[in-house]
Amino acid sequence: MKVKIIIGIGIVALVTTLFIVMKPKSFEDEMIEKLESVNTYILEGNMEILKGEETRSYGLEVGYKKSDNAFFKVALKDKDLNQEQIILRNDEGVFVVTPSLNQIFKFEGEWPMNTPKPYLLQTICDIMKQEDATMKKEKEGYLIEANVSYPGNDSFHHQQIYFDKDGKLEWLQIFNEDNVVELKIVFSKVEYNVEMDKEYFITPTVLENKASSNIIQEQDLPLYPVNVFSSQLSNVNAMQVNGKTKYILEYTGEKNFTVVQTITKEEKSTKTVIMPGEMIDVLDVIGFYDGNHLQAVYNQIEFSVYSDELSPDEMMKVIQSMQVAVMK
C-alpha cells in the first residue's frame, strides 16, 4: 500500500514538474527575456511632453550597444526651436553635444543607468518585471500597465506600454495621478540586434552650425520662476559680464536661493567644456549640479541656481518653471 502511495506521489510530482516545464511562457515573460538578450538597438519616434496647456514635441533617437562600458546615444530635437541636443556615452566618458551653442560638455557619472529613462528598453524591461505590472491582450497587440517613479518627474504616476502582436514596441504614455497624459512616445522605428559601428557613438570634434528659433528675446528677461517653495522675491539686479547682461533674482523665506540668467550665444568654434559634479536630466532639460549650484540651458537661456537649502531636484523645478511674468 505504501509503495502505491509513494508511486502515486511520484507521478503527481512528475506531472506537476512537466506542467511547469511545458507551460507556455506568457507574452510578458517572452518580451522580458527578449529585451534582456538584446545586444544592440535603435529606437526612433516622436516624444510629446505635456505641461498644462503647453505641449512640446521632440524628434527622438535612441541607440544602444552592449559592451564592457555600455554605449548609449540619445538625440532630442525640439521641433519648435529647431534645436537638437545629443547625449553620448562611450569609452571616453559621457558628453552632452549642443550644436546651437557650438559646445560639447563632458562629465563623469553613470548616465543613463543612474535613473530610469522612459525611452530606454532597459527601463521598459524593469517596469514589466514589477509585481504590480499587468498585461492585457488586445485585438492588435498587448498593453502593459504599471505604477512608475521617475526622479525629477514626480508627477509621473503610472505608465502604459504597447507592443504589437509580433512583440514590436509601438508606443508608451505616462499619466499623472489624475490620469492625465503628461508624456507620450510613438515609435516609428524599432530595431533589435542591428549592426552598429563604434563611429555611431563617437563624440564629434567639430559641430555643424544649426541655428535655433529662440522664442525668448533679451527684452523678455528676466524670467521669473513659478515654483519658489514658499519664498519671496527680495531683490532683482542686472550686471554686464563680458558683453552679456546677467539678471540676478534673489529669493528669501522658507528656502533661500538665487537665480542668475542670461541669453546664450554661440561659440565661434566648437568648444569642449569639462563639467564638474553630476549631470541631472529630466527629459527636455539637462543640468549640471556641483555642490550648491545647478546650471542648465533651457529655451536658449543659461540659468544658474545657487542655494544651500534647495535639493538638486528642487533647483531643476525652479528652472523648469521659469516664465515671462506680468510683474515686469
Side-chain angles (χ1 to χ4, degrees):
M1 184 69 177
K2 290 183 178 180
V3 173
K4 289 183 179 180
I5 293 174
I6 294 171
I7 292 174
I9 293 173
I11 292 173
V12 171
L14 177 61
V15 170
T16 302
T17 303
L18 288 173
F19 176 77
I20 294 172
V21 172
M22 297 177 65
K23 182 182 177 182
K25 293 182 181 178
S26 68
F27 172 82
E28 194 172 7
D29 290 336
E30 288 182 351
M31 282 308 304
I32 290 172
E33 188 176 297
K34 182 176 181 178
L35 295 180
E36 289 184 328
S37 66
V38 166
N39 291 318
T40 66
Y41 66 75
I42 293 179
L43 308 177
E44 293 180 8
N46 184 72
M47 181 172 74
E48 290 185 347
I49 299 175
L50 295 85
K51 298 177 180 177
E53 297 182 356
E54 180 188 7
T55 299
R56 300 193 71 160
S57 183
Y58 299 85
L60 172 69
E61 179 183 345
V62 183
Y64 163 76
K65 184 174 183 177
K66 186 176 182 179
S67 70
D68 292 338
N69 192 28
F71 293 175
F72 285 92
K73 178 178 182 179
V74 176
L76 273 182
K77 183 175 182 180
D78 188 318
K79 296 182 178 180
D80 294 321
L81 298 179
N82 189 33
Q83 175 183 318
E84 185 178 37
Q85 198 160 47
I86 301 166
I87 315 178
L88 290 166
R89 180 181 183 88
N90 53 36
D91 282 333
E92 297 177 344
V94 184
F95 301 84
V96 177
V97 181
T98 311
S100 62
L101 299 179
N102 206 9
Q103 291 191 63
I104 300 169
F105 303 95
K106 181 181 180 181
F107 61 96
E108 301 297 327
E110 298 303 318
W111 181 91
M113 303 310 296
N114 54 336
T115 57
K117 309 289 188 294
Y119 46 71
L120 293 182
L121 285 186
Q122 286 84 350
T123 295
I124 291 172
C125 185
D126 288 341
I127 291 172
M128 293 174 66
K129 286 160 48 174
Q130 291 178 190
E131 287 188 7
D132 69 331
T134 61
M135 181 188 71
K136 180 182 178 183
K137 185 175 181 180
E138 300 195 339
K139 186 177 180 181
E140 298 297 329
Y142 299 84
L143 181 66
I144 311 294
E145 187 163 4
N147 292 330
V148 291
S149 176
Y150 288 93
N153 298 94
D154 52 14
S155 63
F156 290 177
H157 181 262
H158 59 282
Q159 180 169 332
Q160 292 180 339
I161 308 163
Y162 190 81
F163 295 89
D164 69 12
K165 59 185 178 182
D166 297 319
K168 180 181 177 182
L169 182 64
E170 285 202 351
W171 55 260
L172 65 84
Q173 50 190 4
I174 304 176
F175 302 79
N176 61 23
E177 228 170 349
D178 297 322
N179 210 37
V180 176
V181 176
E182 293 202 354
L183 180 140
K184 184 173 184 179
I185 303 176
V186 177
F187 296 97
S188 56
K189 179 179 179 180
V190 177
E191 294 184 350
Y192 302 152
N193 295 318
V194 293
E195 289 293 329
M196 299 181 74
D197 295 328
K198 273 197 172 183
E199 282 70 22
Y200 179 84
F201 299 96
I202 286 180
T203 308
T205 55
V206 178
L207 300 181
E208 181 183 347
N209 184 11
K210 294 184 179 180
S212 63
S213 305
N214 193 354
I215 57 176
I216 302 296
Q217 304 298 324
E218 187 74 48
Q219 59 267 26
D220 296 320
L221 298 188
L223 307 186
Y224 296 86
V226 173
N227 202 337
V228 296
F229 299 96
S230 300
S231 296
Q232 301 293 323
L233 180 65
S234 58
N235 190 35
V236 180
N237 208 344
M239 59 188 298
Q240 291 290 321
V241 179
N242 297 326
K244 293 181 180 179
T245 303
K246 292 198 172 187
Y247 297 89
I248 304 167
L249 312 179
E250 296 179 29
Y251 286 83
T252 55
E254 189 173 311
K255 294 188 177 184
N256 299 324
F257 63 93
T258 299
V259 180
V260 180
Q261 57 189 279
T262 186
I263 295 284
T264 58
K265 294 183 180 179
E266 179 191 352
E267 295 287 337
K268 292 182 179 179
S269 58
T270 301
K271 182 179 179 182
T272 299
V273 182
I274 297 176
M275 302 298 294
E278 63 177 308
M279 186 188 82
I280 299 175
D281 66 307
V282 286
L283 299 176
D284 59 337
V285 186
I286 298 172
F288 301 95
Y289 178 71
D290 183 21
N292 65 347
H293 170 222
L294 178 71
Q295 177 186 339
V297 175
Y298 188 47
N299 286 340
Q300 291 300 101
I301 301 170
E302 181 182 299
F303 294 101
S304 289
V305 180
Y306 298 86
S307 177
D308 291 322
E309 297 165 20
L310 292 180
S311 68
D313 284 344
E314 289 172 333
M315 291 181 179
M316 186 63 83
K317 285 180 173 63
V318 169
I319 292 175
Q320 287 181 291
S321 71
M322 300 297 287
Q323 295 183 359
V324 177
V326 295
M327 63 186 294
K328 289 173 55 180

